Amino acid sequence: MDWDWLVLLDAHDYTIAREVILRGVAAVFLLAFLSTFCQFPALLGDRGLLPARVFIGRTSARWSPSLFRWRRTPYSDRLLRIVCGLGMALAASVVVGLPQAGPAWAPIPVFLAMWGLYLSIVSIGQRFYGFGWESMLLEAGFVVGFLGSHEVAPPLLILLFLRWLMFRLEFGAGMIKMRGDSSWRDLTAMNHHHQTQPMPNPISRWAHLKPQWWHKAETLGSHIIQLGMPWLLFLPQPIASFAAGLIIVSQLALVITGNYAWLNWLTIILAFCGISDSFLRWLGGGPFPGWGWEGLLGDGTATGAPSGPSPLWWLILTTGVFLVLVSLSRRPLLNLFSSHQLMNASFNRWHLVNAYGAFGSMSEQRREVIIEGTLSERPQEEDWHAFEFKGKPGDVSRMPRQFAPYHLRLDWMMWFLALGDWGEEWFVRLLRKLLSGDPAVRRLLRIDPFDGRAPTMIRVRVFDYRFSTKEEKRETGQWWVREEIGILVPPRRHL
C-alpha cells in the first residue's frame, strides 16, 4: 500500500512554533506548581481555609480524580510539596530542552505526567482552583507533548487542534461578552474595566483615565480580535499567521494593563500554533511567505527540521489522539453557539476540550473588602489597622503592583467576595485565622500590622474604590479615592 500521502500530516514549517509552545507551556506549568507549593497548604492544606482532606472525604474520584485519593491517608502538606517539586523538575527539563533532544515520543510522558500531577491538584482545589486558566493549562498540557521532539516534524493535526483550542478561547470570550452585557454592545465596557478588573497593575490607572473615544476603540478592537481572528486561524498562510499575530498583540495589551495570572501569557504561547517559520523569517527581513495551502506545510529545509516523512507509527499515534480529542468537541462546539453559553466550564473530569470566556458581565463599581484588627480592649478609630493584601487594592496611597503571571489566589477570591458572595465559608475561616494570629495565612499577606500577635478584635468594612483623577493625584499623592459603604462584620472577639 502506498503511504506517501501521509507526508501531508507533517507540518515542517512550524518548528519554531513547536519550540515556543513546548517550552512556554512548560514554563507556565513550572509557575503553576510554584504557586501551589507556596499557597496551597495555607489555603487548602491540613490547617487551611478549605481543607482538601475534608473535600476528598465527601467526594468521589468520578468527578474529581486525584492521586491524593490513592492512599490510606489521602492528603498531607508534605505529599503536596513533593508533587509540586516533581512537577517543577519536569517542567524545567522541557524549558531547557531535554525531552526535545530525545526520540519523537520523549515529550509525551513528561507532559502527561505534568498534566496528571496538576489535575490531581486542581481536582481537590475547590474554589481556589476554579479559574478558567487552570482548565486551559490542563488541556494544553495534555495536548502539546504530542508535538514531538526534534526527531520528527510537528504533526499538522495537533497544530490544528491547538487552533481549535484558540478558537474556543477567543471566540468563546467574544460571544460571552456580546450575550452577557449591553456595555459590550454599546462599546462602553472599557470605560470601567481598567478600574474594576480583579487586580489592577501600575499601568491600569493610566489606561482608565484615557478619553471616551480611546475606550470605545479598545472595546471595538476586542470584538474584532475575538470574534473575527479565530476564524482566520484555519485559513492558508500567511493569513493564519497575521491572525495569530493580532491575537498576540491584543494579549500583550492585556499583559501591560492588568494582572490575569498566566491567562494572557498562555494564550500568547498557544497562539504560535498559527505562526509559520516562513512568516517569522519574513518578520526578520526574509522573503514574504507564499500564499496558499502549501504554506501550511513547507519542506523544513530552512529550519533544520527533518525533510522526510515522519514514521508511520508516529503519524498513526498523533492522528488517533486528534480523533479522540475531536470526539470530545461536540458539547463545547454546541456551547459556543448556545444562547445559554457556559463560561469556563469543563465537560469531563479530565479537563479536556473545555469552554472558555471572561467578563461576560462588566462591573461599573469597584468594591473592596477591608479587614482590620486592633490590640486595644476599648479601641478608638485610630487603633484599627488594616491587613494589607499583596495584589488587591487597600492602602489608597500604594501604587498597584505587577504580579502576573504569578497567581495570587487569595487576592483573586477577595475580588469575587466583594461582588457579593459575603457568606463564603472560606472567608469566615480566614477571619478566624487572622483573629488567632495564624502564621501560614499571614504569610499570604503583604502587611500584618501586628507582627504575628493575635488582635483582640477584628472587623470588616466595605468601601467603594475608584482611581484618583490627575488633579487628585497631584494634590494628595493617592492612587485611589475611597468611600465607605458599610460594615460587613462589626467588631468581634470571636467568630
Side-chain angles (χ1 to χ4, degrees):
M1 180 178 291
D2 184 4
W3 297 98
D4 290 346
W5 62 271
L6 288 174
V7 71
L8 297 176
L9 298 179
D10 286 332
H12 291 281
D13 205 23
Y14 289 83
T15 57
I16 298 173
R18 170 170 63 187
E19 205 63 31
V20 170
I21 293 170
L22 289 177
R23 293 179 191 247
V25 172
V28 175
F29 262 122
L30 195 156
L31 196 65
F33 283 117
L34 175 64
S35 167
T36 299
F37 185 95
C38 296
Q39 300 177 56
F40 195 101
L43 298 175
L44 298 141
D46 292 325
R47 297 171 55 84
L49 304 182
L50 295 176
R53 193 192 300 261
V54 175
F55 176 80
I56 292 171
R58 65 176 186 236
T59 58
S60 72
R62 181 176 181 181
W63 289 110
S64 55
S66 176
L67 295 173
F68 294 105
R69 295 183 181 274
W70 295 358
R71 301 170 71 247
R72 179 173 298 177
T73 303
Y75 172 87
S76 70
D77 291 345
R78 180 174 179 271
L79 178 60
L80 182 278
R81 290 191 169 102
I82 291 173
V83 166
C84 290
L86 177 57
M88 285 188 282
L90 291 169
S93 73
V94 181
V95 171
V96 300
L98 296 183
Q100 298 95 303
W105 52 265
I108 297 175
V110 177
F111 274 96
L112 290 183
M114 288 190 288
W115 167 77
L117 293 174
Y118 200 62
L119 176 66
S120 297
I121 294 168
V122 171
S123 293
I124 63 172
Q126 305 167 72
R127 293 297 303 276
F128 291 103
Y129 281 77
F131 301 92
W133 51 78
E134 312 286 6
S135 292
M136 184 181 172
L137 179 58
L138 286 171
E139 181 175 349
F142 181 90
V143 175
V144 301
F146 293 96
L147 288 172
S149 74
H150 300 159
E151 192 175 82
V152 292
L156 172 63
L157 294 180
I158 300 301
L159 287 169
L160 287 176
F161 182 81
L162 290 176
R163 294 186 192 187
W164 168 227
L165 191 164
M166 288 296 302
F167 185 92
R168 282 178 280 120
L169 174 68
E170 287 290 288
F171 189 72
M175 290 303 295
I176 203 75
K177 290 179 175 67
M178 296 300 287
R179 292 188 175 113
D181 196 316
S182 60
S183 67
W184 287 106
R185 297 189 294 273
D186 63 23
L187 304 184
T188 62
M190 298 304 290
N191 293 1
H192 315 286
H193 173 71
H194 297 295
Q195 179 172 267
T196 62
Q197 63 179 300
M199 203 178 303
N201 75 354
I203 307 298
S204 301
R205 178 177 169 273
W206 171 85
H208 174 70
L209 295 179
K210 286 296 183 183
Q212 179 83 4
W213 66 265
W214 177 284
H215 294 312
K216 285 186 178 292
E218 285 183 298
T219 311
L220 180 60
S222 173
H223 293 328
I224 292 172
I225 297 294
Q226 294 190 324
L227 297 176
M229 294 306 106
W231 297 93
L232 303 186
L233 291 174
F234 299 100
L235 294 184
Q237 293 294 1
I239 298 174
S241 289
F242 279 114
L246 288 174
I247 290 173
I248 289 174
V249 169
S250 71
Q251 292 297 314
L252 287 173
L254 294 173
V255 167
I256 292 171
T257 59
N259 283 290
Y260 301 99
W262 57 75
L263 172 63
N264 306 125
W265 285 111
L266 185 56
T267 303
I268 289 169
I269 291 162
L270 294 176
F272 271 82
C273 68
I275 298 182
S276 67
D277 295 354
S278 300
F279 184 81
L280 291 172
R281 288 196 300 273
W282 170 70
L283 289 179
F288 188 79
W291 293 83
W293 293 108
E294 64 274 9
L296 182 64
L297 305 174
D299 60 10
T301 57
T303 61
S307 57
S310 296
L312 179 61
W313 68 267
W314 174 252
L315 297 175
I316 292 174
L317 172 63
T318 53
T319 300
V321 170
F322 173 79
L323 293 175
V324 169
L325 294 171
V326 168
S327 71
L328 297 175
S329 296
R330 177 179 172 273
R331 291 182 66 189
L333 176 62
L334 294 175
N335 180 68
L336 282 174
F337 300 97
S338 170
S339 59
H340 302 289
Q341 180 187 359
L342 298 176
M343 181 173 64
N344 295 324
S346 298
F347 298 99
N348 54 71
R349 58 181 175 169
W350 310 112
H351 289 263
L352 300 178
V353 198
N354 310 297
Y356 301 106
F359 296 102
S361 59
M362 184 59 65
S363 302
E364 296 186 8
Q365 250 187 327
R366 179 176 200 96
R367 290 181 175 176
E368 289 294 341
V369 175
I370 305 298
I371 305 171
E372 299 172 326
T374 180
L375 296 176
S376 174
E377 291 292 337
R378 297 178 178 275
Q380 303 298 312
E381 190 60 33
E382 62 271 15
D383 297 322
W384 291 96
H385 303 282
F387 293 93
E388 291 284 343
F389 290 77
K390 294 180 179 179
K392 87 176 194 71
D395 181 357
V396 294
S397 299
R398 181 174 182 254
M399 178 182 71
R401 300 299 196 265
Q402 181 68 43
F403 289 96
Y406 191 77
H407 187 9
L408 296 173
R409 299 180 184 279
L410 182 58
D411 296 60
W412 268 83
M413 292 306 298
M414 290 296 292
W415 180 76
F416 285 111
L417 182 82
L419 295 179
D421 298 332
W422 309 117
E424 290 282 354
E425 180 183 7
W426 65 264
F427 181 60
V428 176
R429 292 182 178 179
L430 172 65
L431 297 181
R432 288 173 181 164
K433 288 185 177 294
L434 292 176
L435 193 53
S436 67
D438 182 85
V441 164
R442 294 193 180 200
R443 280 194 292 271
L444 298 179
L445 304 177
R446 184 178 72 90
I447 291 180
D448 170 11
F450 309 112
D451 296 323
R453 291 176 293 173
T456 57
M457 284 187 283
I458 201 169
R459 73 180 184 183
V460 182
R461 297 193 288 170
V462 181
F463 289 83
D464 178 69
Y465 272 65
R466 64 171 176 82
F467 278 126
S468 59
T469 64
K470 292 179 180 179
E471 293 75 17
E472 289 169 333
K473 178 72 164 57
R474 191 181 305 115
E475 293 174 4
T476 66
Q478 296 180 352
W479 284 76
W480 299 94
V481 175
R482 73 180 191 179
E483 179 181 350
E484 185 171 0
I485 298 174
I487 300 290
L488 179 60
V489 178
R492 298 279 184 87
R493 295 181 184 273
H494 305 285
L495 286 167

